[in-house]
Amino acid sequence: MDMIQIRQLLKENKLSEALVELNALIDREPDNAEAIFERGRTYWRLGERSKAMSDYCRSDALEPDGPASVALDQARQIEAFFNPDLLNP
């Protein structure tokens, strides 16, 4: 499956299915910064923040001018702002 088909799965909110396809694509093309970034976004949507940030870092290292650097910066800001004590009085 290619990125166009994977994006369609994501658009249809079929996150688990898209994740399986992204993992397969990354196994075939381990330096595919776009696929790694999209997997990070998918992890973020699934609430798996640490996996998402790991993928953002990896994608940014492969493609410094790509969108992962912005996503990584935003994810770090969100993590810095998060305070679990405020959620559990």
Side-chain angles (χ1 to χ4, degrees):
M1 189 171 277
D2 63 16
M3 283 305 299
I4 294 170
Q5 294 167 313
I6 293 170
R7 281 203 183 95
Q8 185 60 39
L9 291 173
L10 293 169
K11 190 176 185 178
E12 295 169 2
N13 210 32
K14 296 178 180 177
L15 302 181
S16 297
E17 194 175 332
L19 192 56
V20 168
E21 295 300 332
L22 283 164
N23 285 330
L25 179 58
I26 293 166
D27 284 345
R28 289 190 311 272
E29 301 173 26
D31 293 334
N32 186 329
E34 179 184 13
I36 295 166
F37 172 69
E38 286 299 333
R39 184 175 69 180
R41 289 180 61 194
T42 304
Y43 279 138
W44 190 269
R45 289 173 66 187
L46 290 169
E48 298 186 45
R49 306 292 196 236
S50 62
K51 288 182 180 181
M53 290 176 72
S54 179
D55 275 351
Y56 293 159
C57 284
R58 185 172 164 201
S59 179
D60 185 43
L62 292 168
E63 187 181 339
D65 294 330
S69 62
V70 173
L72 182 58
D73 185 49
Q74 290 173 345
R76 285 180 177 151
Q77 288 177 20
I78 290 168
E79 289 295 313
F81 180 76
F82 179 71
N83 184 345
D85 293 334
L86 295 176
L87 299 175
N88 300 309

